[in-house]
Amino acid sequence: MDEIWFHLTNQYEIFQIKISLLVQQGQQWIITWLSQAQQAFYKLHSYQNIEKPIWFDKLWEQLQIQYYNAYFNVTGLYRQIKDLCSNEVSKKELGFCLAGLLLGTLIGYYAAVNWGYISHHIPSIKAIICHYYIGIEGVSVIDDAKMPVIEKSNQLLIQVKAASVNVVDTKICYGYSKIYRKLLNTGKYKDLPVILGRDCTGIVVGIGRNVINFDVGDEVFLAVPSWAPGTMAEYIVVLETQAVKRPKLFTFEACASLPYSGCIAWDALVNRSTIQEGNAKGKRVLIYGGNTSVGCILTQLVQLWGGDVITICSPNAIIVSKALGAKSVIPLDGTNIEKELYFYGKFDAIFYTGGQSIDERILRRYLTSCGSYVSTVPEQLISDSLGFIFGSIFAGCVRIKLLIQYILGFDMHQWKEGSKINTMYLQALCDLADANQLQMIVDRVYKPNNIKHALNHILDPNAIGSTIITFQ
């Protein structure tokens, strides 16, 4: 027992020396910090041309006196402990004390680790997921998706209120844009499962430290490309540059119909046709699929910009199409479309937005010599059908282009389809909606558990406007 006591004494002396060094280092840090705080205070008053207060010097002097009088004497503390152990505490009692301290430390550490884990438990959220690329049958709703968190200083955490269902969502269920998804996303978003949804409306519930245009509580809407993480979840995280404050005259469900379809329609008009932004005077425009969500927006924009609109749509959408601004409507009721178009002459722009299929060559025959033909349906991606060898070559080319874009300062979200989704378009559409110059057409609203019905409905040629999933 004497040998153990001698060993403990030597170890405690070594511990005493280390504690003394740490205390001295800590005292030096405190002195340095106090000095820097004093200088900062003086600079602040000097910068603001305010006379230095007398009370500060007195407070500073008292603080220094209290600090130096409270000097921690490690040697004295050690002697007091040693005298206590020699006179009043037996070696057996000391052993029990040390054992108790060790056991208490271990129990406290274990409790802290487990309690910390429980307190930082990440809640689960509801999300609409495509598990397999087998079509709509591979889609389901899960209640245990991980809650997204803000990882970058320019991101927003959004509580989703409603999201629209688009034709591209049905194509994603079959693997559309899967190669771009692997190349352009990171982490769990590179492969299956895939969260569906290309746009949404919601409320900002969290912001990164460098966000300047939004605050908690702002109501926003946004759209994302087909390869980006989807929006059909109770909470999502997006970059600040992807969101715009939503129109105030409409509900969350109505606003959810606008972002993705609106951007596709705006891009088709301004960047891919002969029509100039804000000016369609003297232009004759044909819209095949005037009852689709994109067709409804195209009809209104062309009419608002002064053009004449002829639409081709299902019979049940004739009234809606005329109410949105169509001058004439050709019904898809078995009528010979080519013969009907003969009586309308040539068009400056023809837009195909989906619905019942038709031979593209029939429509192109009715274009003027300088006219433009634009299809807004998702284009077939060759990359989705490439094998391993050609897929690897394609991936290498994409990475090189991405590197060039990064060097030139381009946003990665501008890649391919992402270039059509622009917050400037969103803001312009929002302004028109707030001015009551743009109406949003919602056909049906579904709950997340009815996602398969919603996906099938968006493929129905008789559907009018947008199909919405609400998370409210």
Side-chain angles (χ1 to χ4, degrees), residues 149-157 204 206-216 237-238 240:
V149 294
I150 293 176
E151 297 177 349
K152 297 180 180 179
S153 60
N154 60 342
Q155 288 181 328
L156 305 173
L157 175 62
V204 177
I207 60 175
R209 64 179 181 274
N210 290 339
V211 172
I212 58 176
N213 295 320
F214 297 94
D215 203 351
V216 173
V237 170
V238 297
E240 175 188 15

Side-chain angles (χ1 to χ4, degrees), residues 75-323:
T75 304
L77 177 63
Y78 170 74
R79 287 175 180 173
Q80 290 178 6
I81 295 175
K82 185 176 181 181
D83 292 340
L84 180 65
C85 293
S86 301
N87 300 328
E88 300 182 14
V89 180
S90 66
K91 296 177 181 179
K92 183 178 179 180
E93 291 172 336
L94 180 62
F96 280 115
C97 178
L98 293 175
L101 288 173
L102 178 61
L103 181 61
T105 301
L106 292 175
I107 293 174
Y109 175 77
Y110 176 80
V113 169
N114 283 274
W115 289 344
Y117 175 79
I118 294 172
S119 63
H120 290 88
H121 175 67
I122 299 177
S124 297
I125 63 171
K126 183 178 293 186
I128 297 175
I129 302 292
C130 174
H131 298 276
Y132 309 101
Y133 293 137
I134 58 174
I136 296 175
E137 292 303 315
V139 178
S140 68
V141 180
I142 61 174
D143 295 321
D144 58 351
K146 289 185 178 179
M147 176 77 173
V149 294
I150 293 176
E151 297 177 349
K152 297 180 180 179
S153 60
N154 60 342
Q155 288 181 328
L156 305 173
L157 175 62
I158 297 174
Q159 181 186 17
V160 176
K161 293 296 185 180
S164 71
V165 183
N166 293 279
V167 173
V168 69
D169 290 308
T170 65
K171 291 184 174 292
I172 289 174
C173 296
Y174 288 96
Y176 183 83
S177 200
K178 61 183 178 181
I179 300 301
Y180 285 125
R181 195 169 295 114
K182 291 182 179 180
L183 295 174
L184 302 177
N185 292 333
T186 58
K188 63 180 180 179
Y189 301 113
K190 294 174 71 69
D191 210 339
L192 292 169
V194 177
I195 299 178
L196 297 182
R198 298 302 99 199
D199 56 9
C200 70
T201 55
I203 301 174
V204 177
V205 294
I207 60 175
R209 64 179 181 274
N210 290 339
V211 172
I212 58 176
N213 295 320
F214 297 94
D215 203 351
V216 173
D218 286 344
E219 299 178 356
V220 299
F221 67 169
L222 60 99
V224 296
S226 60
W227 46 263
T231 59
M232 288 187 188
E234 289 182 307
Y235 292 88
I236 62 171
V237 170
V238 297
L239 296 175
E240 175 188 15
T241 54
Q242 293 180 271
V244 170
K245 293 180 181 178
R246 76 174 185 90
K248 296 298 184 181
L249 295 180
F250 299 88
T251 63
F252 282 107
E253 289 81 7
C255 290
S257 69
L258 186 58
Y260 188 80
S261 296
C263 284
I264 297 300
W266 193 284
D267 173 78
L269 277 172
V270 174
N271 298 326
R272 302 170 63 192
S273 77
T274 57
I275 297 175
Q276 298 179 352
E277 181 176 345
N279 183 13
K281 292 181 179 180
K283 302 290 186 180
R284 301 183 71 251
V285 177
L286 175 67
I287 300 175
Y288 186 98
N291 56 302
T292 66
S293 56
V294 175
C296 289
I297 297 173
L298 280 173
T299 301
Q300 295 181 80
L301 290 177
V302 173
Q303 188 272 336
L304 181 64
W305 294 351
D308 291 332
V309 184
I310 310 298
T311 63
I312 302 174
C313 62
S314 57
N316 64 318
I318 292 176
I319 295 177
V320 173
S321 190
K322 287 186 176 180

Side-chain angles (χ1 to χ4, degrees), residues 291-442:
N291 56 302
T292 66
S293 56
V294 175
C296 289
I297 297 173
L298 280 173
T299 301
Q300 295 181 80
L301 290 177
V302 173
Q303 188 272 336
L304 181 64
W305 294 351
D308 291 332
V309 184
I310 310 298
T311 63
I312 302 174
C313 62
S314 57
N316 64 318
I318 292 176
I319 295 177
V320 173
S321 190
K322 287 186 176 180
L324 294 177
K327 188 175 182 179
S328 299
V329 179
I330 301 175
L332 288 168
D333 56 359
T335 305
N336 189 316
I337 298 298
E338 191 168 7
K339 288 184 178 180
E340 288 290 329
L341 288 175
Y342 177 80
F343 296 102
Y344 288 95
K346 301 287 185 178
F347 296 92
D348 298 290
I350 296 177
F351 297 91
Y352 175 75
T353 68
Q356 294 185 19
S357 60
I358 187 173
D359 190 343
E360 179 182 308
R361 292 172 295 181
I362 294 176
L363 298 177
R364 287 184 177 273
R365 291 184 190 132
Y366 296 93
L367 276 176
T368 61
S369 57
C370 297
S372 56
Y373 178 87
V374 181
S375 173
T376 63
V377 299
E379 60 183 357
Q380 189 69 29
L381 299 178
I382 299 176
S383 59
D384 289 336
S385 58
L386 294 176
F388 176 77
I389 296 177
F390 290 105
S392 300
I393 297 173
F394 176 80
C397 295
V398 170
R399 289 192 174 96
I400 292 173
K401 290 182 178 180
L402 286 174
L403 178 61
I404 295 173
Q405 279 192 352
Y406 176 78
I407 294 173
L408 296 177
F410 288 100
D411 186 357
M412 185 185 70
H413 284 84
Q414 295 176 352
W415 182 268
K416 294 295 182 179
E417 178 196 359
S419 62
K420 303 176 184 179
I421 301 171
N422 192 310
T423 52
M424 290 191 297
Y425 304 163
L426 279 177
Q427 188 60 61
L429 292 166
C430 179
D431 293 340
L432 290 175
D434 278 332
N436 206 24
Q437 293 180 318
L438 185 64
Q439 300 299 315
M440 284 161 262
I441 310 301
V442 175

